[in-house]
Every structure is written in structure tokens, then in C-alpha cells.
């Protein structure tokens, strides 16, 4: 099979496509003929040598894919060969064939093509698990998402809006701010020039914050919370060690949670994928949530795709096809 390999660690130039032996499905696993995969920030970290795959996962990069079922391991009866599916992976997506636990395979939501479906599993699973399963965002609550025009952000704005929340998003350029508003944000905040704490405080505080910045925004995110607010940190783009003012958190009866999807056990990922199919896919099928794809390119352009992401030159997702 064709697969992306990393020659040493470093910039996008270390990525190349070569031939490797295809994997075989083990007990409880599904073999997928990959039609498309998509780029995640974690992929760029793995390429740089900072984010090794969890034990047992493929060392080929790639956290999601779409394609057709090509084989079934012992004990799998939920799928049949030829089914069109998409999947949440712990690795291995940048290859023509991948094996994945059956519970992390999902049907395609209605109204999207097989290629577009590759842009959905990671963002849908991350947003569903953090914003709804962990932070319990409810109808009518105020929701702040940082990086509203990125892959996670575009899904978070749409899903939170579709579920009746009042959405605030930060972004770093006029085009990206406009995209956040188009997707449903009531206010798009330019993080280079405006103070999101002031905007949210004026509005009454954020009930839920989904944060990609980590340390750099920790104090300000807590300041932006409403009473009973929930901050969920999923990224460390602004560093790992911040200062938490316990008295502010205590006064607000707030909470701070941080999660990582990739290292969760298969049982938890299976539960998340079930939640996605039940709660997110109907929104995709009725058109209230759309995959936002910056560009679809052949797998041979993988280095350019990583460069685009690291330059912040994209909005939404970057899809790679086989
Ligand atoms: N924990 C998990 O399980 C999990 C799962 C998936 C993703 N993530 C994390 O979630 C984050 C977003 O992932 P993604 O796939 O959406 O990546 P992405 O498309 O590259 O988005 C990154 C975002 O960061 C924003 N950003 C950069 N500097 C900022 C600042 N100072 N303030 C606010 N926003 C800023 C960018 O905004 P502009 O482009 O507008 O500048 C961009 O929207 C990453 O940190 C990723 O590692 C975590």
C-alpha cells in the first residue's frame, strides 16, 4: 500500500510517500481501504517528534479517514465488506489501508461525499466529547471557542449553534472572523486586537469555554467564565504551564478540565463515536452542520498540507486523498 513515511523528525520536507506492507485486521478490528484522510495539529507534532503514537497504535501518522470496508477481523459483525464508512483512528490514516477497532468506525452522515467525510471524525468526536459530554453545554448557554475558523472551531461553532447555544469565537484575521459569523457566532472577536474577557464579561460570562491555547489563556479564560462556568482545555498552542487563580475559580464555582482524545481507551472512543452518530450526524444530514474544507489535495501534497497548517493559512480542514 502507499503510505506517508517520516524520514527523521523536522519540517514538512521530512514527509514522503512510499510503499509499505498493508496491515491485517485482528480480533474486533475492521480493515478500511482509505479514500481520504485529513490533517490535524497533532500530526504536525508527531512529525516533529513531540507526539508519539500511544502503545499499540500504528506509527504511520493520521487520526481519521473515510473509505470502504475491505475486511473484517474475528468477532466483527457490525460492518460488511464494501460499506462506505469513516473512522476515528489512533494512527495510520495517511495510508491506503488501515485497521481500526470496530467501535471507532462510523457510517457516513447523510449529504456528504466519501471524501468530505474524512474531515469529520476527529473534529466531531473532539467537540462532542468535550463540549457536550464533559462540559454539558445546554440550550441558551453562552459558549466561547478559541480559534473559531480552524478545524475544531468551525465544527464547535456550528454544533453549539445548532444545539441552541449563544456562540462567541476568537480568530486572527478579517476573513476568519467573517467565517465565524457565517457559521453562527453572534460575536467574532479578533484575538490580536480585542480582549475576549471584556466581551464575554459584558455579555454575562461564558458558561463553557473550549480552549486551544493552554497556559497563555488560562487566567483570562477563568476570568471570562460565568458563575458555574466550565473551561475545557484541549490544546497547548500557548504553552503547558500557567497560573490558576483558585480564588477566582472558587468564587465562580467554576471547573477546569483538560482532555486528550487519542490516548483514550477503545471503550471510551466507542462511546464517543456512538454519541457522534446519534447527535452530530443528524445535524450534518439536515445541513445545519457542514464539513468546512479549505482544500482537498492528493496525498503526494502532504508536505504542502502540513506547511499550510503550520502557517495558519487554512480555515477548517485540509483533506488528503488516495
Ligand atoms: N485534546 C484533544 O483531544 C484534541 C483533539 C483535536 C484537536 N486538539 C487541539 O485543538 C486545537 C485546534 O485544532 P485544529 O485541528 O482546529 O487546528 P487548526 O485548524 O490548525 O486551528 C488552530 C487554531 O488556533 C488558532 N489560534 C492561533 N493563535 C491563537 C490565539 N492567540 N488565540 C486564539 N486562537 C488562536 C488559530 O486561529 P487563526 O487561524 O484565526 O489565527 C486556529 O483557528 C489544536 O491545539 C489541537 O492540538 C485537541
Amino acid at each position: 500500500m502507499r503510505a506517508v513515511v517520516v524520514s527523521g523528525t523536522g519540517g514538512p520536507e521530512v514527509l514522503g510517500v512510499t510503499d509499505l506492507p498493508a496491515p491485517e485486521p485482528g480480533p474486533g478490528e475492521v480493515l478500511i481501504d482509505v479514500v481520504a484522510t485529513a490533517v490535524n495539529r497533532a500530526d504536525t507534532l508527531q512529525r516533529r517528534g513531540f507526539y508519539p503514537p500511544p502503545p499499540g497504535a500504528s506509527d504511520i501518522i493520521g487520526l481519521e479517514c473515510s473509505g470502504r470496508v475491505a475486511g473484517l477481523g474475528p468477532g466483527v459483525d457490525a460492518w460488511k465488506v464494501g460499506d462506505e464508512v469513516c473512522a476515528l483512528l489512533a494512527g495510520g490514516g495517511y495510508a491506503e489501508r488501515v485497521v481500526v477497532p470496530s467501535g471507532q468506525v462510523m457510517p457516513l452522515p447523510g449529504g456528504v461525499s466519501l471524501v468530505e467525510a474524512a474531515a469529520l471524525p476527529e473534529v466531531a468526536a473532539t467537540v462532542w466529547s468535550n463540549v457536550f459530554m464533559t462540559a454539558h453545554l445546554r440550550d441558551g448557554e453562552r459558549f466561547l471557542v478559541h480559534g473559531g475558523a480552524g478545524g475544531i472551531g468551525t465544527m464547535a461553532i456550528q454544533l453549539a449553534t445548532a444545539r441552541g447555544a449563544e456562540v462567541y469565537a476568537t480568530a486572527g484575521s478579517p476573513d476568519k472572523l467573517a467565517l465565524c459569523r457565517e457559521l453562527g457566532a453572534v460575536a467574532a472577536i479578533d484575538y490580536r486586537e480585542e480582549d475576549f474577557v471584556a466581551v464575554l464579561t459584558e455579555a454575562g460570562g461564558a458558561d463553557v469555554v473550549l480552549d486551544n491555547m493552554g497556559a497563555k489563556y488560562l487566567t483570562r479564560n477563568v476570568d471570562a467564565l460565568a458563575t458555574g462556568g466550565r473551561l475545557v482545555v484541549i490544546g497547548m498552542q500557548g504553552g503547558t504551564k500557567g497560573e490558576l487563580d483558585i480564588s477566582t475559580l472558587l468564587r465562580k464555582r467554576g471547573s477546569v478540565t483538560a482532555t486528550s482524545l487519542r490516548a483514550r481507551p477503545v471503550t471510551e472512543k466507542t462511546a464517543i463515536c456512538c454519541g457522534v452518530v446519534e447527535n452530530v450526524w443528524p445535524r450534518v444530514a439536515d445541513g445545519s452542520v457542514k464539513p468546512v474544507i479549505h482544500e482537498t489535495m492528493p496525498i503526494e501534497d502532504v508536505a504542502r498540507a502540513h506547511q499550510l497548517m503550520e502557517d495558519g493559512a487554512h480555515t477548517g480542514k485540509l483533506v488528503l486523498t488516495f
Side-chain angles (χ1 to χ4, degrees):
M1 65 173 187
R2 280 184 302 153
V4 172
V5 287
V6 184
S7 54
T9 54
E13 70 284 352
V14 301
L15 298 168
V17 179
T18 191
D19 284 327
L20 289 179
E24 295 288 336
E29 289 183 334
V30 173
L31 175 68
I32 298 175
D33 260 338
V34 175
V35 168
T37 183
V39 182
N40 286 283
R41 271 213 168 235
D43 304 349
T44 64
L45 294 177
Q46 184 170 339
R47 189 204 71 224
R48 289 181 178 279
F50 297 132
Y51 194 53
S58 167
D59 57 9
I60 297 171
I61 297 177
L63 298 177
E64 57 194 331
C65 75
S66 59
R68 295 183 183 85
V69 173
L72 303 171
V76 178
D77 53 15
W79 305 102
K80 59 183 191 317
V81 171
D83 282 348
E84 293 193 337
V85 294
C86 56
L88 180 70
L89 310 172
Y94 288 16
E96 270 175 324
R97 289 197 148 190
V98 69
V99 291
V100 52
S102 173
Q104 291 168 225
V105 180
M106 295 174 279
L108 299 196
V112 301
S113 70
L114 193 51
V115 168
E116 289 172 320
L120 291 171
E122 179 74 15
V123 292
T126 302
V127 172
W128 179 254
S129 60
N130 286 291
V131 177
F132 295 94
M133 292 171 72
T134 297
H136 303 290
L137 180 69
R138 286 181 290 267
D139 191 7
E141 286 194 319
R142 263 182 302 278
F143 171 60
L144 168 66
V145 57
H146 291 296
I152 295 291
T154 50
M155 172 55 73
I157 292 174
Q158 295 184 88
L159 199 52
T161 302
R163 307 233 351 152
E166 187 176 289
V167 179
Y168 294 72
T170 60
S173 73
D175 289 358
K176 291 179 179 183
L177 292 161
L179 175 65
C180 294
R181 282 188 217 96
E182 261 170 53
L183 294 173
V186 296
I189 305 159
D190 186 339
Y191 65 71
R192 299 163 313 172
E193 294 181 356
E194 289 174 87
D195 177 10
F196 69 82
V197 180
V199 176
L200 266 299
T201 304
E202 168 80 22
D207 299 295
V208 173
V209 178
L210 184 65
D211 173 70
N212 60 322
M213 296 304 290
K216 187 174 174 189
Y217 279 2
L218 181 59
T219 302
R220 293 169 69 202
N221 278 332
V222 171
D223 287 345
L225 288 179
T227 301
R230 292 87 74 197
L231 164 62
V232 188
V233 182
I234 60 163
M236 303 174 283
Q237 288 170 229
T240 57
K241 289 187 182 167
E243 201 169 280
L244 180 63
D245 181 346
I246 302 291
S247 72
T248 308
L249 196 63
L250 198 138
R251 196 165 29 81
K252 294 189 174 193
R253 302 190 296 283
S255 69
V256 181
T257 312
T259 75
S260 166
L261 181 59
R262 188 183 194 184
R264 288 195 182 198
V266 171
T267 47
E268 288 185 25
K269 288 190 196 169
T270 299
I272 291 168
C273 288
C274 286
V276 165
V277 171
E278 194 180 323
N279 298 285
V280 183
W281 276 194
R283 305 288 181 179
V284 178
D286 74 16
S288 49
V289 172
K290 297 185 177 64
V292 178
I293 297 175
H294 182 82
E295 191 177 336
T296 300
M297 52 190 108
I299 194 71
E300 286 72 18
D301 285 357
V302 61
R304 185 167 70 83
H306 273 222
Q307 191 67 59
L308 277 171
M309 177 164 276
E310 288 185 314
D311 291 346
H314 68 299
T315 49
K317 298 286 293 185
L318 295 157
V319 171
L320 297 164
T321 56
F322 280 92

